[in-house]
Amino acid sequence: TASGTVVRPWLDQMLGMRFAYTFSEGSAGGGNLIYNRINYIQSTGTQYIDTGFSDTQGMTSEFKANWQSYGKVVGQCELQELYGRNAVALTSDKQWMLDYGDYNPSFGSASLNEDYLIKFSTKIGQAYIDVDGSRLGGHSNTTTIGGSTLWIFTTKYDLNRSSLTSAKLYHAKIWDHNGNLVRDFVPVQNAITGEIGLLDNVSQQFYGNAGTGAFLGG
């Protein structure tokens, strides 16, 4: 994992342009790496990212994604921890499913190959899902979440990968149950090696593929 300083992120966000992110590898062996901002990162169904984040009191996430297959894009689920779900899915019934604690209700309608802006919360007593700015549903859940880390493009299910999803991800933010921004992911590509992954603007770390194959980008 490489870390360092982001170059001009405010200008990147304001103008929607692609700038290089420069990092110092540190423990990875020294030297500089250049990461170029790309529009999206795409999983073909075998790639995923471990965010390294968990919160048993729930969390809030906002992300823009385009599902190519049914499944979860941001999630974590453990049978061994009282069905400690923490995820959003586009189901084969073409609905949105909000997984939190031991609940998994479905809402609204959804389609593959469409861009959606999702915001959801699994915080205790404050679970909800918004799609493109509209509140679809919620619940005053009381069940705590499992303690494993949150994964992207799949769920961490019983300590193994489950239901890997083919999807594009344009960006993702994650807040803990206290409202602290803990991850602010944007898609990037290493200008030297071509590796595609997510840059976290909070920790200034690069998160690469934890699965097989390689991410696509665009």
Side-chain angles (χ1 to χ4, degrees):
T1 300
S3 61
T5 302
V6 178
V7 177
R8 298 196 296 178
W10 61 272
L11 190 58
D12 187 8
Q13 293 170 7
M14 191 168 68
L15 300 180
M17 299 175 67
R18 301 177 184 180
F19 293 97
Y21 296 81
T22 306
F23 294 86
S24 173
E25 282 190 293
S27 62
N32 291 325
L33 295 176
I34 303 297
Y35 288 93
N36 293 319
R37 174 75 183 269
I38 58 178
N39 189 32
Y40 62 81
I41 181 175
Q42 181 175 358
S43 170
T44 62
T46 65
Q47 302 83 32
Y48 71 97
I49 284 176
D50 185 345
T51 70
F53 167 75
S54 66
D55 190 331
T56 59
Q57 303 302 303
M59 59 92 184
T60 302
S61 178
E62 180 180 278
F63 63 94
K64 183 180 178 182
N66 184 310
W67 277 256
Q68 273 86 58
S69 69
Y70 301 110
K72 300 178 176 70
V73 168
V74 176
Q76 165 254 11
C77 181
E78 294 175 279
L79 283 176
Q80 292 179 345
E81 296 192 17
L82 301 176
Y83 292 87
R85 301 186 184 99
N86 199 8
V88 160
L90 195 162
T91 71
S92 57
D93 294 328
K94 298 181 179 180
Q95 290 186 297
W96 298 108
M97 183 174 69
L98 176 62
D99 269 0
Y100 53 94
D102 56 0
Y103 303 94
N104 60 342
S106 296
F107 304 96
S109 61
S111 301
L112 297 179
N113 303 306
E114 297 280 349
D115 289 348
Y116 291 103
L117 179 63
I118 308 295
K119 187 171 185 177
F120 75 99
S121 173
T122 58
K123 293 193 296 183
I124 293 178
Q126 302 177 48
Y128 66 82
I129 177 172
D130 294 347
V131 178
D132 292 333
S134 297
R135 179 66 47 92
L136 297 188
H139 194 282
S140 56
N141 58 309
T142 59
T143 306
T144 57
I145 308 301
S148 68
T149 57
L150 201 69
W151 290 4
I152 293 178
F153 296 112
T154 184
T155 57
K156 191 165 188 177
Y157 181 78
D158 207 17
L159 307 183
N160 293 293
R161 298 193 308 276
S162 174
S163 61
L164 283 156
T165 304
S166 298
K168 297 176 182 178
L169 182 74
Y170 299 91
H171 63 79
K173 293 184 177 182
I174 302 169
W175 294 264
D176 66 17
H177 77 277
N178 287 317
N180 300 308
L181 182 64
V182 293
R183 298 289 186 274
D184 181 5
F185 288 123
V186 293
V188 295
Q189 183 173 26
N190 187 308
I192 299 172
T193 67
E195 181 183 8
I196 293 172
L198 294 175
L199 163 71
D200 174 27
N201 283 322
V202 176
S203 65
Q204 300 179 349
Q205 290 187 356
F206 174 79
Y207 287 74
N209 177 28
T212 61
F215 284 116
L216 303 178

